[in-house]
Amino acid sequence: MPGGQGPLREVVHGDAIAWLAARPGLARTSVIASLPDVSELGVTLDRWREFFVGAARASLLAAADDGVCLFVQTDNKRDGRWVSKAGLVLRVADELAIPLVFHKIVCRRPPGSLIHGRPGYTHLLAFSRVAVDDADHPTPDVLPDLGEMPWSHSIGTRAAEAAVDAVRRLSPTTARIVVPCCGIGTILAVANARGFDVVGIERNRKRAEAAQTFVLASGAERSGDVEGA
């Protein structure tokens, strides 16, 4: 943070896959990833799938063995067919032999809502080579909503809090959280507020600059002026 007070924050303007791939098994580090949709990248579905699988692999490998890698991902529809980002992440983790610790659902809409094009839920998946879910301290499998949305592609503050709290619960050795494709910094702000050092990687310069200082104010402060793609 500015002035050297409190938890540290570093935001890298660059390619998240390259950054992560160069740093496998970061000590005392967990990863929280919310990787972009095909519509955000503006590429073909095949090209996006290649990117997504590579980013998921790099994210899983970057976390320490006793750390956690979490994904906050919403499936989407392309040309009338569903693209399951959760399914792709599970496939990559299985190939790497990194166990699934939990799979939770965050509601995007009230149950029973009739919508078209995007599902009414987001996946929250946690993976670790060492950590296991603690049966003595259960947490909800379904979260009622995403929370506040600081920008159009935000994962929501409630989802961010659930992911960061899961890191604390599952990996007491984690001191730093790395966030590829960090956007304007929702996860960074939540993790800093909970005492973690953070590193965000963002390819969009405007969002990377915003992520350097973004904080969550009490109440519903939004930063919708920062456009995303």
Side-chain angles (χ1 to χ4, degrees), residues 33-228:
S34 182
L35 304 175
D37 294 341
V38 59
S39 60
E40 295 177 69
L41 294 187
V43 297
T44 65
L45 183 58
D46 286 344
R47 182 69 185 89
W48 170 83
R49 192 185 302 270
E50 179 183 347
F51 157 81
F52 188 90
V53 168
R57 177 181 295 272
S59 298
L60 285 159
L61 291 175
D65 283 351
D66 57 352
V68 186
C69 183
L70 291 107
F71 293 86
V72 188
Q73 301 290 171
T74 304
D75 299 337
N76 60 16
K77 186 176 284 188
R78 186 79 169 179
D79 300 326
R81 295 183 177 179
W82 285 107
V83 178
S84 176
K85 289 189 280 185
L88 290 173
V89 170
L90 287 164
R91 185 186 308 170
V92 174
D94 186 59
E95 291 172 356
L96 296 174
I98 301 177
L100 175 69
V101 180
F102 67 65
H103 184 177
K104 299 179 183 295
I105 295 295
V106 186
C107 294
R108 301 182 64 89
R109 304 284 192 280
S113 299
L114 298 177
I115 56 178
H116 181 74
R118 288 179 68 84
Y121 57 88
T122 290
H123 300 276
L124 177 58
L125 305 104
F127 301 87
S128 179
R129 297 184 187 276
V130 173
V132 294
D133 217 353
D134 184 359
D136 293 331
H137 299 88
T139 56
D141 287 330
V142 179
L143 280 69
D145 60 73
L146 291 169
E148 298 297 333
M149 302 289 287
W151 71 303
S152 58
H153 293 289
S154 172
I155 70 169
T157 55
R158 185 186 294 270
E161 289 165 357
V164 173
D165 289 345
V167 170
R168 183 179 301 283
R169 179 169 58 88
L170 297 171
S171 178
T173 61
T174 291
R176 174 177 59 178
I177 294 177
V178 171
V179 186
C181 308
C182 68
I184 68 165
T186 304
I187 299 173
L188 304 182
V190 170
N192 271 165
R194 279 159 163 71
F196 289 102
D197 293 342
V198 294
V199 178
I201 308 99
E202 174 56 52
R203 67 185 180 90
N204 181 286
R205 182 178 295 278
K206 188 176 182 180
R207 293 197 294 266
E209 291 173 352
Q212 295 277 2
T213 56
F214 179 74
V215 295
L216 293 171
S218 57
E221 177 178 333
R222 286 173 168 78
S223 299
D225 55 312
V226 181
E227 297 294 334

Side-chain angles (χ1 to χ4, degrees), residues 1-23:
M1 299 295 284
Q5 300 298 315
L8 300 176
R9 182 184 304 190
E10 177 186 359
V11 178
V12 178
H13 173 231
D15 182 273
I17 299 180
W19 193 95
L20 291 167
R23 298 165 176 83

